Amino acid sequence: DVKVTQSSRYLVKRTGEKVFLECVQDMDHENMFWYRQDPGLGLRLIYFSYDVKMKEKGDIPEGYSVSREKKERFSLILESASTNQTSMYLCASSLEDRVTEAFFGQGTRLTVV
Amino acid sequence: GQNIDQPTEMTATEGAIVQINCTYQTSGFNGLFWYQQHAGEAPTFLSYNVLDGLEEKGRFSSFLSRSKGYSYLLLKELQMKDSASYLCAVRDSNYQLIWGAGTKLIIKP
């Protein structure tokens, strides 16, 4: 079974804190993605990576950065958390064939107070 | 701009059939996905359509018409565990996934 694991299910952070969200996949997938999911909106892509040390901005990269030092791990960093970054964050991975489906982690519900 | 439209919420009865529609306007088309997401859980893959027609997978079927920019997910013999959100996503010309907001399906006994 493909497994995508996010480090935390729930996080509460203070405004201005630097926040790290970790994601690990065990299927040797080339592509990894970070999305946020908010009520009434579709999943919105923050960043994605198609190879180690490679990263591409998605639709809403502002206020975020990412790191991919190893193929299996993709980290999302909130440089200075703000209340409008309170959201569900979903990590996903997929093969690089551009056809097969993406597999998602269980999500991290982040609250910034 | 790119847009995926799905109904926000639908209600159906256990044992019945329900059809969830998805219309899309995207820059290019390289396949359409349906995912199921139970409350508080990860989305899980249900189906993939890239050619016109119906794909059947057990109680679930998915239909695509590329000329109409339209797809539907058909769920038969509904069970209580089918209560979930159903997400439609289209892969555009850049192979990026564009997501609909999801349809919350409520199953009543």
Side-chain angles (χ1 to χ4, degrees):
Chain A
D1 273 356
V2 174
K3 196 156 187 181
V4 181
T5 304
Q6 295 182 227
S7 52
S8 305
R9 287 296 299 267
Y10 301 95
L11 273 179
V12 180
K13 296 292 181 180
R14 295 194 180 278
T15 300
E17 275 193 81
K18 191 168 186 175
V19 181
F20 293 86
L21 302 183
E22 306 287 345
C23 175
V24 177
Q25 51 95 2
D26 65 0
M27 284 303 292
D28 204 34
H29 284 172
E30 292 82 10
N31 299 334
M32 295 190 75
F33 309 84
W34 274 106
Y35 290 94
R36 62 178 283 177
Q37 186 176 34
D38 299 290
L41 299 176
L43 295 178
R44 291 183 291 167
L45 182 64
I46 304 171
Y47 268 97
F48 66 100
S49 169
Y50 52 86
D51 201 353
V52 176
K53 297 194 186 293
M54 304 300 289
K55 60 184 179 184
E56 295 283 344
K57 292 181 180 179
D59 300 318
I60 52 165
E62 295 78 20
Y64 304 95
S65 62
V66 290
S67 173
R68 192 161 181 206
E69 295 298 317
K70 293 184 178 181
K71 190 175 185 179
E72 67 270 19
R73 186 180 296 270
F74 193 35
S75 303
L76 179 69
I77 303 149
L78 285 66
E79 298 291 342
S80 177
S82 63
T83 54
N84 64 12
Q85 292 178 310
T86 291
S87 187
M88 170 70 86
Y89 289 87
L90 290 165
C91 174
S93 72
S94 71
L95 291 170
E96 60 88 32
D97 62 3
R98 296 179 164 183
V99 175
T100 51
E101 70 273 23
F103 295 85
F104 284 84
Q106 77 277 26
T108 297
R109 184 163 293 283
L110 173 67
T111 303
V112 182
V113 298
Chain B
Q2 308 203 88
N3 198 47
I4 310 281
D5 283 318
Q6 312 177 228
T8 302
E9 188 174 295
M10 300 181 70
T11 302
T13 305
E14 191 177 15
I17 299 173
V18 72
Q19 178 176 310
I20 302 173
N21 295 326
C22 171
T23 57
Y24 62 89
Q25 291 177 306
T26 56
S27 54
F29 179 85
N30 282 296
L32 185 145
F33 294 83
W34 284 97
Y35 279 77
Q36 179 190 60
Q37 186 179 23
H38 286 100
E41 297 185 11
T44 55
F45 170 75
L46 287 178
S47 68
Y48 171 69
N49 295 69
V50 66
L51 299 177
D52 291 350
L54 188 68
E55 294 279 343
E56 297 188 76
K57 199 184 283 188
R59 293 190 298 115
F60 292 6
S61 304
S62 57
F63 171 83
L64 174 68
S65 169
R66 288 172 295 170
S67 62
K68 295 183 179 177
Y70 169 69
S71 172
Y72 67 73
L73 182 70
L74 191 71
L75 291 74
K76 302 177 185 176
E77 301 169 15
L78 285 169
Q79 301 174 11
M80 298 302 293
K81 67 179 182 180
D82 298 330
S83 291
S85 289
Y86 292 86
L87 313 181
C88 173
V90 172
R91 189 163 267 158
D92 69 10
S93 56
N94 293 320
Y95 290 90
Q96 294 303 320
L97 282 174
I98 312 300
W99 294 83
T103 299
K104 183 178 181 180
L105 178 63
I106 300 167
I107 309 296
K108 295 187 174 179

